[in-house]
Amino acid sequence: MDIITQASNLPTKIEDLSRFVLVGREKMVSVRAEIRAIDKLGLGKEVRQQKLDEGQMIADALLDAEVRLGELMRDIPKASGGDRKSENFKLSTDERFEKPKEKIIVELGFNHAQAQRFETLAKYPEVVAQAKAEARANDDIVSRSLVLTRIKDAGHATETPHVSNNSGENEWYTPIEFINAAREVMGSIDLDPASCEAANKTVKATKIFTIDDDGLKQHWRGNVWLNPPYASDLIGKFADKVAASKGDIQQAIILVNNATETGWFNTLVGVASAVVFPKSRVKFYMADGKTGAPLQGQAFIYVGDNPHKFLDVFKAFGWGAIL
């Protein structure tokens, strides 16, 4: 699907629109990576401008598509078996909505949190339009996370709390002492697959995946630092991704709540070689500089072939064991 040529003529069916968004997000990951490479290599301004123009066209088209998708998803009844019809929403083969909303969303390729972000965008199209215009004026590429932040900062009521990549329901980032310890153990942080630009000012990972990139769909390799979203519908998926990526990553250090009774925690422990439990709850910091801590303790889980060094470095924060 050519995301650029279809920008002015979005698909009308919700299934086609969903594929348009999914393909477009994959394309955006590639374009952003190319721009970062151009900046790193110091290539000519003309080369960068061409790639920037492409990125802006794709980003604008994606936001338009996500606004429309939010409008359509908003019309899907939550319960199954409904007979409400809508001029906005039509499945290809069934207008009686025999399936519950959550199942329809999953079949379209999204999760509950993503669907609610789309619906939030649909509620405030004027904020979307303003963010797109400002990004172009500043020679930048607009992102969905930026628009959602604008909506939140403007005091608009969203349909769900914003779930950031690093902290569940709040934008909390990891204190630098833990990042420095992780870098000391692994030698480098090549990838943070659940990050944002603000968080990476501390992590300084060579490569990051933001909420727009959807790190769950990307390939993980090298030394990985991961502080996944703590939302219940996401953290299990990140644990599964760690397990599935074990053959490709060199090392990984994962910071999560010490929910030892959960399936996802046991999935992580099942592929780990060491774990450390901090003596006190981690005091994360927020974008405004304030600090806060979750309601339970945390655990640092190490995946790799150097568990003794991990324990030696992280014992400063608590107690642990080789698994």
Side-chain angles (χ1 to χ4, degrees):
M1 185 180 295
D2 190 335
I3 193 76
I4 297 176
T5 58
Q6 294 197 32
S8 60
N9 185 24
L10 294 175
T12 55
K13 292 182 179 179
I14 193 170
E15 299 95 335
D16 296 336
L17 194 61
S18 298
R19 285 191 288 270
F20 182 89
V21 169
L22 293 169
V23 171
R25 283 294 162 198
E26 293 290 330
K27 181 65 175 175
M28 274 309 309
V29 172
S30 175
V31 170
R32 290 181 185 276
E34 289 180 67
I35 291 175
R36 286 194 291 266
I38 289 171
D39 291 339
K40 186 174 182 179
L41 296 173
L43 299 180
K45 292 182 178 179
E46 183 177 346
V47 176
R48 190 186 194 281
Q49 188 61 50
Q50 290 175 348
K51 190 55 61 177
L52 177 63
D53 290 343
E54 180 184 355
Q56 288 174 335
M57 285 190 289
I58 295 172
D60 287 358
L62 274 171
L63 273 176
D64 290 343
E66 289 176 351
V67 167
R68 180 59 179 154
L69 200 53
E71 292 172 347
L72 298 178
M73 288 180 170
R74 194 169 53 198
D75 276 349
I76 307 175
K78 292 183 179 180
S80 61
D83 59 2
R84 177 168 67 92
K85 295 184 179 181
S86 166
E87 292 181 359
N88 271 344
F89 176 81
K90 288 184 180 180
L91 284 172
S92 296
T93 58
D94 187 2
E95 291 184 348
R96 286 187 53 82
F97 309 112
E98 296 298 333
K99 299 176 182 178
K101 181 173 182 176
E102 292 291 336
K103 186 172 183 180
I104 292 173
I105 288 170
V106 170
E107 290 179 352
L108 291 172
F110 304 106
N111 58 42
H112 177 72
Q114 289 172 315
Q116 290 189 316
R117 292 185 195 109
F118 298 153
E119 292 183 33
T120 298
L121 294 175
K123 287 181 65 178
Y124 304 102
E126 70 283 356
V127 181
V128 175
Q130 182 180 7
K132 286 164 56 177
E134 289 181 4
R136 282 188 171 272
N138 295 324
D139 287 331
D140 200 359
I141 298 175
V142 70
S143 68
R144 184 206 306 144
S145 57
L146 171 64
V147 178
L148 290 171
T149 299
R150 292 282 184 85
I151 292 171
K152 180 180 177 182
D153 291 345
H156 296 307
T158 58
E159 300 204 10
T160 183
H162 174 57
V163 180
S164 79
N165 281 44
N166 276 330
S167 58
E169 293 187 354
N170 299 291
E171 293 184 359
W172 292 355
Y173 310 132
T174 309
I176 194 168
E177 59 265 29
F178 302 117
I179 302 299
N180 288 342
R183 184 170 282 106
E184 182 179 351
V185 172
M186 297 190 292
S188 65
I189 298 178
D190 303 318
L191 174 66
D192 184 344
S195 188
C196 65
E197 295 297 336
N200 202 45
K201 290 179 180 179
T202 299
V203 178
K204 294 182 172 60
T206 303
K207 186 173 185 178
I208 66 171
F209 295 135
T210 70
I211 195 170
D212 293 324
D213 301 327
D214 193 351
L216 290 170
K217 295 182 179 179
Q218 311 304 323
H219 184 67
W220 296 8
R221 60 169 62 89
N223 294 324
V224 177
W225 163 262
L226 175 63
N227 181 7
Y230 290 176
S232 59
D233 62 332
L234 291 175
I235 193 165
K237 295 179 181 179
F238 274 90
D240 290 341
K241 181 70 173 181
V242 171
S245 302
K246 186 178 180 182
D248 296 320
I249 60 178
Q250 185 175 349
Q251 301 175 90
I253 295 178
I254 305 110
L255 171 56
V256 291
N257 284 337
N258 59 3
T260 56
E261 77 286 0
T262 63
W264 61 259
F265 191 92
N266 285 277
T267 294
L268 290 173
V269 169
V271 296
S273 53
V275 62
V276 163
F277 295 94
K279 290 177 287 187
S280 60
R281 285 178 289 168
V282 173
K283 292 184 178 180
F284 295 94
Y285 70 92
M286 292 170 277
D288 61 5
K290 295 180 181 179
T291 60
L295 298 177
Q296 67 184 98
Q298 286 72 52
F300 292 95
I301 297 174
Y302 175 77
V303 179
D305 296 329
N306 207 351
H308 292 284
K309 184 172 184 179
F310 168 75
L311 287 181
D312 186 56
V313 173
F314 273 79
K315 67 182 180 183
F317 307 121
W319 60 274
I322 291 178
L323 302 175

